[in-house]
Amino acid sequence: MSADVVATDRDNGVYQFQMDQPVPSYLIALAVGDIHFKAIDERSGVYGEAAWLDEATREFADVSKLIDAADELYGQFAWGRYDLLVLPSSFPFGGMEYPRIAFVTPTVLTGDRSLVSMVAHELAHAWSGNLVTNANWQHLWLNEGITSYVESRLMAKVYGQKRAEQELALNVEELKKTLASAPTGYNKLHNQWRGQDPEQAFNQVAYTKGMLFMRWLAAQAGIDEFDRYLQGYFQRHAFKSVDTNDFVADVQRYLIEPRQLSLKEDQLRQWLDGTDLPAFAVMPSPDTFSLIDGILTTWLTEQVPLSTLQTRQWTVQEWLYFLRRLPRQLSEVQLAELESNYGFSASRNAEIFTEWAVLVIPLRHPIIDEPLKKFLTTVGRVRYLEPLYRTLANTPQKREWMRKIYRDARRGYHPQAQLLLDKIAL
Ligand SMILES: [Zn+2]
């Protein structure tokens, strides 16, 4: 549950809550609705509309393994309970890490736990962000970068290093695109944000560039040593807020000096103030998806039927990589072969559906029209809506079709999503 309920007057609709642990104001929220509860175990459960609960408890069944892994690596979970609230489809974001209860998008319910890294991410905030909070949003990267690193460590512990590396490799692809296109300032970890749009701060830079900074520090100290350092960092600053200077001072005093690491101040500054990735960043291995590269080459150059290729064991991350690597000008025959073998248009996984739709929309093939219309009118998460509407807007023959759908779908979107999408789709 959330804060303790200390008094309830249902007749008058008055509820009183008590929270003994200090939290910053952005971690206070109210959820109001026809909300039910189903337990996963004695420490965790799922809140949400009744229709979601069975599926969500199955999807999030590994939450206690993730908490145990985090306890072991970073010190005891400080908040007592850890629950999840599945929000309605109009929730525009992936998740929000309130203490004791994370709010999550229903798009994470895929039936195969393939997007459960989001749960690991929100849980990681129980240490980074909620226990030790950024002093203000100029230091957002402290919350999101350290959290993304902790998330990756939890995913490696519970689901294996291979999956964690695949997820990182996909995120790094997105980060590189962001760095190439972001206006000055938006590509730095430590940015002043004066006169800039704070909404744009929540991009891959704070998350994945911040994560790569932590990964580089871990490579210098050793991964286990760095886990121990982070555990100490969370203890030293528990229930307090910190800024970038505090973090750098802490790294100097508690990571670098005791271990006599040969890190230079200049290298730390390159991470924090540089507009690109430092040349010495520890990137995911180029072999991470070599199996997929090989299969794709076989299909495209040797005319081997897709049905004979071994794809049954592929992870969702491998499918996403495959989709991103497909040529943008697929022939009608290739498109039909992909669809008949893999059924991407009917995928329940919003990541896969979006990658596929972004590929097919410019080809103007009717195969995507009905599923896309259904998706746009039932999903409200901006991560998917923005690239879909942008691709439609960039395809002149689809613009009228898009505007008609948008006018119908718009009232189902969150106001923040409307604000962004009006500029693209009206
Ligand atoms: Zn986060």
Side-chain angles (χ1 to χ4, degrees):
M1 67 157 82
S2 57
D4 296 328
V5 181
V6 291
T8 301
D9 176 357
R10 282 183 190 276
D11 293 339
N12 293 306
V14 178
Y15 298 81
Q16 201 177 327
F17 298 89
Q18 183 165 321
M19 181 73 178
D20 293 328
Q21 293 143 318
V23 293
S25 56
Y26 79 90
L27 290 179
I28 298 170
L30 286 174
V32 180
D34 184 15
I35 298 171
H36 300 256
F37 176 75
K38 185 169 179 183
I40 297 173
D41 55 35
E42 64 286 348
R43 182 169 48 182
S44 299
V46 177
Y47 287 90
E49 291 170 84
W52 297 120
L53 290 186
D54 286 341
E55 192 182 349
T57 44
R58 280 196 300 276
E59 195 81 34
F60 303 143
D62 289 338
V63 68
S64 75
K65 287 187 203 161
L66 290 164
I67 299 173
D68 289 345
D71 267 350
E72 196 186 316
L73 291 175
Y74 302 115
Q76 203 187 359
F77 181 72
W79 307 94
R81 285 199 64 83
Y82 191 72
D83 294 316
L84 295 128
L85 168 67
V86 180
L87 287 179
S89 304
S90 58
F91 185 52
F93 309 117
M96 182 60 210
E97 67 274 16
Y98 300 107
R100 302 194 195 180
I101 184 165
F103 289 15
V104 295
T105 164
T107 59
V108 78
L109 304 176
T110 56
D112 59 6
R113 299 181 195 170
S114 56
L115 301 183
V116 79
S117 62
M118 185 206 291
V119 175
H121 181 93
E122 303 312 331
L123 174 67
H125 274 305
W127 285 262
S128 163
N130 296 1
L131 191 60
V132 183
T133 303
N134 54 201
N136 63 55
W137 299 104
Q138 286 173 11
H139 311 283
L140 164 70
W141 78 271
L142 281 173
N143 273 21
E144 296 304 346
I146 298 176
T147 292
S148 298
Y149 180 78
V150 170
E151 167 200 334
S152 182
R153 293 287 294 132
L154 300 185
M155 290 303 290
K157 277 268 173 196
V158 175
Y159 298 98
Q161 189 65 32
K162 183 179 161 199
R163 176 157 167 189
E165 284 296 295
Q166 288 180 347
E167 289 180 344
L168 174 63
L170 292 177
N171 287 337
V172 167
E173 284 190 349
E174 291 184 31
L175 169 64
K176 284 182 176 171
K177 275 194 216 160
T178 305
L179 289 172
S181 61
T184 312
Y186 292 81
N187 39 23
K188 291 182 186 177
L189 279 186
H190 185 206
N191 189 21
Q192 300 300 316
W193 297 108
R194 285 205 185 90
Q196 293 173 314
D197 179 359
E199 280 295 323
Q200 300 301 317
F202 288 83
N203 64 24
Q204 281 288 340
V205 174
Y207 290 74
T208 304
K209 192 176 179 182
M211 187 281 185
L212 288 172
F213 180 21
M214 296 303 105
R215 183 175 157 101
W216 175 75
L217 286 174
Q220 311 310 307
I223 290 175
D224 295 338
E225 275 298 297
F226 190 63
D227 283 336
R228 275 189 280 281
Y229 162 74
L230 277 183
Q231 183 173 144
Y233 167 78
F234 294 135
Q235 279 167 2
R236 283 188 289 282
H237 303 281
F239 299 108
K240 293 187 200 131
S241 55
V242 292
D243 64 19
T244 300
N245 288 338
D246 297 328
F247 178 77
V248 170
D250 197 277
V251 163
Q252 291 283 9
R253 182 165 173 198
Y254 294 100
L255 181 73
I256 297 178
E257 287 169 16
R259 294 167 184 82
Q260 299 182 321
L261 301 178
S262 57
L263 306 188
K264 297 189 187 76
E265 171 86 20
D266 171 60
Q267 290 175 302
L268 298 179
R269 296 309 334 168
Q270 278 191 58
W271 277 109
L272 294 167
D273 304 326
T275 56
D276 209 335
L277 278 173
F280 48 82
V282 184
M283 303 300 272
S285 161
D287 295 336
T288 307
F289 291 109
S290 55
L291 179 79
I292 314 303
D293 284 326
I295 286 183
L296 194 54
T297 306
T298 305
W299 180 56
L300 290 171
T301 60
E302 296 173 24
Q303 315 290 315
V304 176
L306 278 180
S307 56
T308 64
L309 302 176
Q310 294 298 320
T311 58
R312 202 179 293 177
Q313 303 293 328
W314 283 13
T315 61
V316 164
Q317 289 68 37
E318 286 169 325
W319 281 113
L320 289 171
Y321 180 86
F322 175 79
L323 285 163
R324 288 182 188 181
R325 288 296 180 286
L326 285 171
R328 299 295 99 176
Q329 291 299 328
L330 287 169
S331 71
E332 192 143 331
V333 173
Q334 288 173 318
L335 198 72
E337 193 185 359
L338 285 161
E339 182 66 7
S340 67
N341 277 279
Y342 306 134
F344 293 131
S345 298
S347 177
R348 283 190 61 197
N349 185 306
E351 296 282 329
I352 287 185
F353 179 82
T354 302
E355 287 289 346
W356 174 243
V358 162
L359 176 72
V360 177
I361 290 166
L363 303 175
R364 306 190 308 280
H365 196 289
I367 201 172
I368 201 69
D369 289 357
E370 274 311 305
L372 180 56
K373 185 177 174 190
K374 185 173 171 222
F375 188 93
L376 294 172
T377 49
T378 52
V379 174
R381 189 172 169 195
V382 168
R383 173 173 170 80
Y384 308 124
L385 295 181
E386 185 179 5
L388 290 170
Y389 277 114
R390 232 179 249 294
T391 310
L392 285 165
N394 289 335
T395 309
Q397 296 87 339
K398 300 299 267 183
R399 270 186 216 141
E400 254 330 291
W401 185 83
M402 170 195 74
R403 286 195 187 107
K404 191 166 173 300
I405 289 175
Y406 185 67
R407 281 194 291 269
D408 286 344
R410 187 179 182 277
R411 64 175 171 269
Y413 297 150
H414 188 279
Q416 268 181 280
Q418 292 174 350
L419 204 63
L420 175 82
L421 297 173
D422 281 356
K423 293 181 206 148
I424 302 169
L426 270 186

